[in-house]
């Protein structure tokens, strides 16, 4: 009986031993390829995520977080600017999900009235040689819908390729029935509150588009003196940048005054001549009139403060129908309006000049004035020419009946939201821009003369006796009923004609945050109840006024709530030279070409195809080809980088700065970073395979100094990542992740574990395995929002333990990985260990630097010699000699003695107590020393240039206004660091001599 009991007890002991050592090892599926291949890793993952509904909010009591994707225009394919915006939002959404939030991120696309109509017209003209007028409105709209179906799907595919975790079941298109109904209701409610009205006013008119355009579609082209420009509709270039002077005669007198203008043809529409009230030269002309030299009409002389008495003669002609400033002055002085330029760009109401194109008329007018002896002369003149960004045509200012929104009260409310802190704008430097927009008391023109868009839901209702009223309604029947109240007649006797104009796209977009969630039928919408207001709006700083400001105005007016409490503004994407990416510069890069890679020939063919479709004109095509040849010739195209490398690169820049410069080379380097991570997991898998043998129980006391060091660095990284991710300082997050995963974990810690994994002491190997498993699991969870495909592939394949002595992860089978909190790792802060290992790493770093200066390759394996008075460092160098030799690729490390004194070394100081030398294996010591000096001198010169450039940038007067506070702090720190580095290098250069390498000239013969 005793024997049986003893046998059973031994079996239990053995089982317990195996349970704590062998059975608790969880081996995972191997990685599919030897090296990281983005196409293999990314394949089918997104489709699987979407199929499993991972991006849909769940019905639970978790805290809610909601955003909408600023809808990209359905005009083609996404560009890198979209990729930046989408990646920023995706990181935020994924971080919130991992932190336990119930996240909704709504996708959508904007119909983009002007942009889409222009693109489709160019396409039809190129492919079928027809314009929209030949097709007719209905057939043209059909063609636009076909375009939307083709390119809208392409945009969705691109967003999926980028890994954007959008809830596609809630996708919105601004021309769909639900959104159209919301647009009509928004118009009607604002109309009923007397906030929308119709009036004749001066608007931006693009002749080529035959439509009003908003200020955002208007570019100001600066011209310094006489410049010829190609203008649509003109056979020869038109000359701009000249100031023409001519004479106005005083009515009933022989006196005359000289007036100057850049637009002589508008003289035909002049209504007055103005002077400054304080200009003593002209006070005697008060109450008098002048004769228009072209029309013979007399016009009043007026006085107004807007006139600059020091410019030219101090006299200004007033043309109310073709100048916004003059229009306001005319209202103030009750002047008449005479429109002499028509919507077709031809002269009208101008007598013999009628029918001439305005710039052809200019030549005729100047010639007439010259013939009559009234022309004084012409001078070069700097000016800003208003250009339509869509067509390149010069914008005219014309009087036209349009629909307007009264913005005064809504502006005051929007300003108060920011002043009171209820609406936070980040970066804060844009608060001033916000208040400037809110202080602009001009009303908002919301009608456009386009075919593609939301037709204005307003009806011109009239009776047989010609009484007319405008009403807003959902259809003609409702319009007649509403009009009957005001016209006091039966609805059936009223003729209701819908306005043919469409609404400004920004009006439709302004209601997007609440319309996308079910407004105005919000009483029946669970989404509106659960997710409105949104938690955050992320968009580019360039549309703060055009879009964000209007969303806040209409959100407050129509829902009585802020649509979101916080706005995060990111910069504009630029190329590696700092030039803004645009078709006109030819430097636009398709993010999919970076993800998949593309040859130079295919890149060229793609550009040819875009030109053939009418998407690029000849000038844009030439610039694109030139840019590709210059930037991608060396690499024969764009190398395959993958979505993760692209995402990580985009967010390695300070997104809060005004501009984000993108470099393909940096993106390719981050692909190599992905491979580094891939190899680290393979390394752990390989060593886990060797560990599946019985061993003693491992506890925290078995952790080596390097284990504790990497855990201390881990907690530091988690702390930084938690703070910077929450603050959207993603450039600091990515820097912390790359520093930890690439430099500290892969380059140092993995090397430090090799002796332990290869040694005979199993407790050390298991301590490394526990540590590395926990470090990889934690680090890659922090990396996951930035590199979604790579981390989703490898986190489940990290070998682990059922009871990891460092940290147990319980979410290995969950579709969304938990976010590592700093509080879980704070106990691993070991400053003393970091100080100890820091000295060891400084030694290794100096050895590598000295090898580099002398051109000693890793295969030569030189001897390292150390002289130190630091007893602790000496012990550590002895104890960690295998690690140091592995890090430095050297043969041996010895402490200075009589034997090493006879060898030839190049030496450098770590501090006052420690001198480190690397054996010079070349017989030509003078040549080696000369090489070292030359390399160090080049480094110093390069650093001095970088310092000068950085100091110039920081001292620039615009620096404070254009760079975020976090970037200013960072760059000042970089400046101080570079100055310290320069001082050290200059000191090192002075120390490089024969004496410093441990020999004198008489020793040169010693072998």
């Amino acid at each position: 009986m005793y024997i049986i009991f003893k046998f059973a007890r031994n079996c239990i002991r053995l089982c317990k031993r195996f349970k704590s050592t062998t059975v608790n090892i969880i081996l995972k599926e191997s990685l599919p390829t030897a090296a990281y291949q983005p196409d293999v890793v990314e394949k089918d993952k997104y489709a699987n995520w979407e199929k499993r509904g991972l991006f849909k909010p769940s019905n639970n009591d978790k805290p809610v977080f909601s955003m909408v994707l600023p809808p990209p225009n359905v005009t083609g394919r996404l560009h890198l600017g979209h990729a930046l915006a989408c990646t920023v939002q995706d990181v935020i959404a994924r971080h919130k999900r991992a932190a336990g939030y119930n996240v909704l991120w709504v996708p959508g696309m904007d119909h983009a009235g002007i942009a889409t109509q222009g693109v489709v017209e160019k396409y039809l003209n190129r492919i079928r040689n027809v314009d929209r007028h030949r097709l007719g409105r209905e057939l043209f709209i059909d063609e636009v819908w076909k375009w939307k179906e083709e390119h809208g799907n392409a945009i969705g595919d691109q967003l999926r390729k980028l890994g954007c975790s959008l809830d596609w079941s809630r996708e919105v298109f601004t021309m769909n029935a639900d959104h159209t109904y919301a647009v009509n209701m928004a118009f009607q409610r604002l109309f009923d509150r007397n906030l929308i009205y119709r009036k004749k006013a001066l608007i931006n008119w693009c002749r080529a588009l035959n439509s009003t355009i908003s200020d955002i579609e208007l570019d100001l082209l600066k011209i310094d003196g006489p410049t010829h420009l190609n203008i649509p509709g003109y056979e020869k270039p038109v000359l701009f940048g000249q100031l023409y002077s001519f004479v106005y005669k005083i009515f009933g007198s022989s006196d005359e005054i000289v007036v100057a203008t850049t637009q002589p043809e508008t003289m035909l529409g002049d209504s007055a001549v103005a002077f400054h009230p304080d200009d003593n030269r002209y006070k005697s002309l008060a109450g008098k009139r002048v004769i228009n030299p072209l029309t013979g009409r007399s016009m009043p002389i007026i006085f107004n403060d807007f006139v600059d008495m020091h410019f030219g003669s101090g006299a200004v002609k007033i043309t109310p129908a073709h100048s916004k400033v003059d229009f306001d002055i005319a209202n103030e002085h009750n002047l008449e309006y005479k429109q002499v330029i028509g919507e077709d760009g031809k002269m009208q109401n101008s007598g013999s000049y009628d029918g001439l194109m305005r710039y052809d008329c200019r030549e005729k007018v100047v010639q007439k004035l010259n013939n009559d002896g009234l022309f004084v002369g012409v001078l070069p003149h700097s000016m800003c020419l208003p250009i339509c960004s869509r067509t390149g045509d010069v914008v005219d200012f014309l009087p036209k009946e349009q629909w307007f929104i009264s913005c005064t009260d809504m502006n005051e409310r929007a300003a108060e939201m920011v002043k009171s802190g209820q609406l936070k704008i980040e970066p804060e430097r844009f608060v001033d821009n916000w208040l400037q927009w809110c202080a602009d008391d001009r009303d908002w023109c919301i009608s456009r003369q386009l075919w593609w868009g939301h037709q204005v839901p307003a009806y011109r209702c009239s009776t047989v006796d010609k009484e007319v009223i405008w009403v807003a309604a959902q259809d003609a029947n409702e319009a007649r009923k509403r009009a009957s109240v005001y016209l006091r007649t039966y609805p059936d006797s009223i003729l209701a004609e819908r306005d043919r104009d469409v609404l400004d796209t920004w009006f439709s977009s302004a209601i997007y945050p609440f319309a996308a969630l079910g407004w105005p039928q919000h009483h029946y919408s669970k989404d509106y109840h659960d997710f409105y207001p949104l938690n955050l709006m992320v968009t580019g700083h360039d549309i703060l006024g055009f879009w964000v400001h209007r969303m806040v105005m209409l959100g407050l007016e129509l829902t009585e709530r802020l649509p979101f409490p916080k706005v995060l503004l990111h910069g504009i994407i630029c190329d590696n030279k700092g030039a803004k990416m645009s078709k006109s510069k030819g430097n636009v890069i398709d993010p999919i070409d970076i993800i998949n890679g593309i040859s130079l020939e295919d890149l060229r063919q793609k550009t040819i195809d875009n030109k053939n479709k009418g998407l690029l004109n000849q000038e844009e095509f030439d610039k694109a080809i030139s840019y590709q040849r210059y930037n991608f010739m060396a690499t024969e195209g764009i190398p395959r980088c993958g979505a993760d490398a692209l995402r990580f690169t985009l967010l390695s820049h300070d997104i809060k700065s005004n501009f984000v410069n993108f470099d393909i080379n940096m993106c390719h380097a981050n692909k190599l970073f992905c491979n580094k991570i891939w190899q680290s997991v393979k390394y752990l898998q390989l060593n886990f395979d060797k560990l599946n043998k019985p061993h003693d129980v491992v506890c925290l006391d078995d952790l080596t100094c390097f284990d504790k060091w990497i855990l201390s660095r881990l907690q530091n990284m988690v702390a930084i990542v938690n703070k910077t991710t929450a603050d959207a300082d993603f450039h600091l997050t990515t820097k912390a992740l790359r520093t930890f995963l690439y430099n500290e974990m892969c380059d140092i810690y993995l090397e430090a574990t090799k002796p332990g994994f290869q040694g005979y002491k199993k407790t050390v190997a298991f301590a490394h395995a526990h540590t590395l498993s926990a470090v990889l699991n934690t680090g890659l969870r922090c990396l996951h929002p930035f590199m979604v495909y790579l981390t989703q592939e490898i986190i489940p394949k990290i070998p682990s333990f059922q009871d990891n002595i460092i940290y147990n992860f319980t979410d290995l089978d969950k579709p969304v990985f938990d976010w590592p909190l700093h509080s879980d790792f704070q106990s691993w802060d070991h400053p003393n260990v970091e100080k100890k290992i820091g000295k060891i790493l400084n030694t290794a770093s100096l050895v590598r630097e000295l090898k580099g200066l002398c051109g000693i390759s890793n295969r030569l394996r030189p001897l390292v010699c150390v002289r130190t008075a630091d007893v602790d460092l000496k012990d550590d160098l002895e104890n960690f000699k295998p690690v140091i030799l592995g890090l430095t690729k050297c043969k041996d490390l010895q402490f200075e003695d009589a034997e090493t004194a006879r060898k030839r070394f190049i030496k450098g100081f770590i501090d006052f107590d420690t001198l480190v030398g690397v054996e010079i294996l070349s017989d030509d010591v003078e040549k080696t020393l000369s090489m070292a000096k030359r390399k160090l001198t080049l480094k110093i010169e390069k650093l001095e240039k970088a310092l000068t450039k950085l100091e110039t940038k920081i001292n620039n007067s615009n620096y404070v206004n254009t760079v975020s506070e976090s970037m200013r702090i960072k760059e000042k720190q970089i400046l101080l660091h570079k100055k310290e580095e320069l001082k050290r290098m200059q000191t090192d250069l002075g120390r490089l001599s024969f004496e410093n390498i441990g020999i004198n000239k008489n020793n040169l013969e010693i072998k």
Side-chain angles (χ1 to χ4, degrees), residues 15 120 278 347 391 429 573 591 617 625 637 689 701 757 798:
C15 287
V120 175
D278 297 332
M347 302 303 292
T391 64
R429 68 179 182 276
I573 200 79
N617 61 35
I625 294 297
D689 288 340
D701 291 339
F757 278 131
I798 298 173

Side-chain angles (χ1 to χ4, degrees), residues 90 135 262 278 312 350 403 405 450 503 527 565 594 615 632 677 708 791 829 892 915 944 999:
D90 189 49
L135 279 178
T262 58
D278 297 332
S350 58
W403 291 101
I405 294 182
L450 303 172
L503 290 166
D527 281 353
I594 299 172
L615 302 179
F632 307 130
I677 296 169
K708 293 176 182 177
T791 51
D829 185 15
D892 194 11
L915 183 69
E944 285 174 336
I999 61 172

Side-chain angles (χ1 to χ4, degrees), residues 398-410:
L398 305 180
K400 190 174 180 64
E401 269 203 5
Q402 298 284 269
W403 291 101
F404 290 85
I405 294 182
S406 177
C407 297
T408 302
D409 292 340
M410 288 191 286

Side-chain angles (χ1 to χ4, degrees), residues 275-284 303 309-310 313-315:
F275 303 99
H276 194 281
D278 297 332
D279 196 333
N280 294 323
R281 294 173 294 175
Y282 302 110
K283 284 188 176 181
S284 62
F303 292 86
M309 70 176 82
H310 303 295
S313 65

Side-chain angles (χ1 to χ4, degrees), residues 80 83-84 87 573 646-653 655 660 662:
L80 273 179
L84 172 66
T87 304
I573 200 79
L646 173 59
R647 290 166 61 100
F648 197 83
T649 303
L650 288 167
L651 296 187
S652 295
H653 303 84
I655 65 160
V660 174
F662 183 85

Side-chain angles (χ1 to χ4, degrees), residues 826-846:
Q826 206 163 1
S827 61
W828 292 109
D829 185 15
H830 296 301
N832 292 332
V833 172
E834 288 201 39
K835 185 177 179 181
K836 176 195 286 282
I837 299 299
K839 285 189 175 183
I840 296 170
L841 297 179
N842 285 342
T843 304
S845 179
L846 181 55

Side-chain angles (χ1 to χ4, degrees), residues 16 58 80 157 314 385 412 434 491 498 502 538 561 703 858:
K16 283 183 178 179
S58 54
L80 273 179
D157 290 342
L385 198 65
E412 290 178 2
W434 179 269
R498 187 167 185 174
V502 300
V538 182
R561 289 190 284 179
L703 295 180
N858 287 336

Side-chain angles (χ1 to χ4, degrees), residues 48-57:
N48 181 260
W49 293 336
E50 197 174 346
K51 183 178 179 181
R52 296 169 66 186
L54 298 188
F55 307 143
K56 294 181 180 180

